[in-house]
C-alpha cells in the first residue's frame, strides 16, 4: 500500500451464536490480495459470438462443444476471452503471472489456467498467480494427478473459481488459494459471480455457484479461502465419473 486505506476494517474474533454449538469464536478480518504481477497474460476485450447448431457435442447431454459456440436449450451466444492449456502430456509451471480477460463462456475446455489430461504430473504447478476478469471459471484440473495449485488469487471470476473436472483426479494439492467475488449473490443484474450457459449448472450458475468445485475427493485442500460465493466449496459425490472417466470411478 502506498496510501492510507479509505475504510477501517477491524480484525477481531466474533462470538459464536449457534444454539447448542461449541461456542468457538470466529476470526473476522478483511482479505487483502495483490492483483498486480510483472508478467501479464492478456488479450482483447471480450466479444460475443452467435451459436452454431452444427457443432458436435463434447460430452453427451451437456450441450457444449470444444470446437466453438454450440446452440443449446440455454445458449444462443457465447462470450470469448483468451484461454491457456497444457494438454496431453509433458508438464506445466506458471508462477507469479497475472491472467486477465480470460475464459470462453459456453465453449468447452476454454479456461484461464488449465491442466488438461496430463496424467500423473508431480511437477505441474500453478503458484502465486492472479486471475482477474474471467467469463468461464478460473483454474481447472482435468484428468491430472499429483499437481500443485497454491497461493493463487482469483477475483471477479464467473462460475467456479477452482474446478476439478471429471472425478478421476487424485493426489492434487490445493493450498492457500483465495477466491473473491466482488458482487453480492442477490444482485439483481450480476447475481454474484454466477454465469449461465456453461456445461455445469451446479458449479457455475445461480442454481449453486461454487468458489471451489470438485467431482473428486481424493485430493488435499488446505487453507483455501472463498468470499461471496453461494458455496465456498462443493464436493459433488455419488456419481460415476464424467467424460473419459464415466463409469470407471466412484466419486
Amino acid at each position: 500500500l502506498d496510501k492510507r486505506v479509505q475504510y477501517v476494517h477491524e480484525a477481531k474474533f466474533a462470538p459464536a451464536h449457534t444454539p447448542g454449538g461449541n461456542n468457538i469464536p470466529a476470526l473476522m478480518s478483511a482479505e487483502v490480495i495483490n492483483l498486480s504481477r510483472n508478467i501479464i497474460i492478456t488479450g482483447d476485450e471480450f466479444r460475443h459470438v452467435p451459436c452454431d447448431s452444427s457443432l458436435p457435442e463434447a460430452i453427451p447431454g451437456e450441450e457444449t462443444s470444444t470446437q466453438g459456440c454450440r446452440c443449446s436449450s440455454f445458449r444462443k451466444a457465447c462470450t470469448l476471452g483468451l484461454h491457456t492449456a497444457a494438454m496431453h502430456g509433458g508438464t506445466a509451471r506458471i508462477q507469479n503471472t497475472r491472467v486477465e480477460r480470460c475464459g470462453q463462456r459456453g465453449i468447452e475446455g476454454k479456461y484461464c489456467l488449465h491442466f488438461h489430461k496430463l496424467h500423473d504430473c508431480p511437477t505441474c504447478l500453478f503458484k502465486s498467480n492472479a486471475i482477474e476478469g474471467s467469463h468461464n471459471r478460473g483454474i481447472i484440473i482435468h484428468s491430472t494427478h499429483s499437481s500443485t495449485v497454491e497461493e493463487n488469487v482469483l477475483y471477479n471470476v464467473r462460475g467456479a473459481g477452482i474446478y476439478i473436472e471429471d472425478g478421476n483426479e487424485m493426489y492434487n494439492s490445493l493450498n492457500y488459494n483465495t477466491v473473491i467475488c466482488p458482487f453480492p449473490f442477490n444482485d439483481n443484474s450480476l447475481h454474484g459471480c454466477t454465469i449461465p450457459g456453461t456445461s455445469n449448472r451446479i458449479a457455475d450458475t445461480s442454481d449453486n455457484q461454487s468458489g471451489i468445485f470438485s467431482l473428486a475427493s481424493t485430493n488435499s485442500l488446505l487453507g483455501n479461502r472463498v468470499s461471496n460465493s453461494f458455496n465456498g466449496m462443493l464436493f459433488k459425490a455419488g456419481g460415476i465419473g464424467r467424460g473419459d472417466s464415466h463409469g470407471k470411478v466412484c466419486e
Side-chain angles (χ1 to χ4, degrees):
L1 298 175
D2 58 4
K3 61 181 178 180
R4 183 177 178 179
V5 296
Q6 184 175 0
Y7 302 104
V8 175
H9 298 277
E10 184 179 5
K12 63 181 180 180
F13 283 95
H17 297 290
T18 304
N22 55 21
N23 294 319
I24 297 176
L27 175 62
M28 305 294 289
S29 60
E31 185 74 58
V32 179
I33 61 174
N34 181 6
L35 293 171
S36 299
R37 300 291 188 274
N38 291 333
I39 302 171
I40 301 175
I41 300 175
T42 190
D44 298 328
E45 295 289 345
F46 289 108
R47 60 189 178 93
H48 306 285
V49 298
C51 67
D52 181 348
S53 59
S54 68
L55 295 175
E57 196 173 26
I59 305 293
E62 293 188 358
E63 302 185 64
T64 57
S65 177
T66 60
Q67 298 181 25
C69 184
R70 184 182 187 274
C71 296
S72 75
S73 60
F74 50 84
R75 183 190 311 111
K76 303 302 180 186
C78 296
T79 304
L80 305 188
L82 68 86
H83 69 97
T84 73
M87 305 174 66
H88 303 295
T91 188
R93 299 173 66 90
I94 298 179
Q95 297 176 253
N96 301 304
T97 298
R98 175 181 167 88
V99 187
E100 60 186 20
R101 299 175 181 173
C102 51
Q104 299 188 358
R105 180 184 63 86
I107 302 178
E108 187 70 18
K110 305 300 188 289
Y111 311 115
C112 302
L113 292 176
H114 186 186
F115 291 143
H116 181 79
K117 298 184 178 180
L118 297 178
H119 310 296
D120 189 53
C121 191
T123 58
C124 284
L125 176 69
F126 291 148
K127 181 175 181 179
S128 300
N129 302 295
I131 299 175
E132 181 177 9
S134 168
H135 265 271
N136 191 14
R137 306 172 188 157
I139 295 174
I140 312 300
I141 302 174
H142 183 193
S143 290
T144 299
H145 321 291
S146 306
S147 72
T148 299
V149 175
E150 65 182 13
E151 299 175 5
N152 301 283
V153 294
L154 296 87
Y155 184 81
N156 191 14
V157 170
R158 316 293 297 187
I162 300 175
Y163 188 89
I164 301 177
E165 189 162 344
D166 272 2
N168 69 331
E169 296 84 4
M170 300 177 69
Y171 310 125
N172 299 287
S173 296
L174 282 66
N175 306 320
Y176 301 105
N177 302 285
T178 304
V179 183
I180 298 178
C181 176
F183 313 112
F185 192 80
N186 60 1
D187 184 282
N188 290 328
S189 59
L190 295 172
H191 304 288
C193 285
T194 67
I195 192 75
T198 74
S199 59
N200 190 335
R201 294 183 61 84
I202 296 176
D204 304 317
T205 75
S206 56
D207 285 359
N208 229 348
Q209 183 264 338
S210 305
I212 299 173
F213 177 88
S214 179
L215 284 177
S217 298
T218 311
N219 298 285
S220 172
L221 290 87
L222 176 67
N224 302 287
R225 302 178 301 282
V226 179
S227 301
N228 233 15
S229 291
F230 185 80
N231 295 299
M233 294 188 290
L234 194 154
F235 295 92
K236 186 178 180 298
I240 55 173
R242 173 189 176 275
D244 293 341
S245 300
H246 183 72
K248 299 178 182 177
V249 297
C250 294
E251 297 167 10

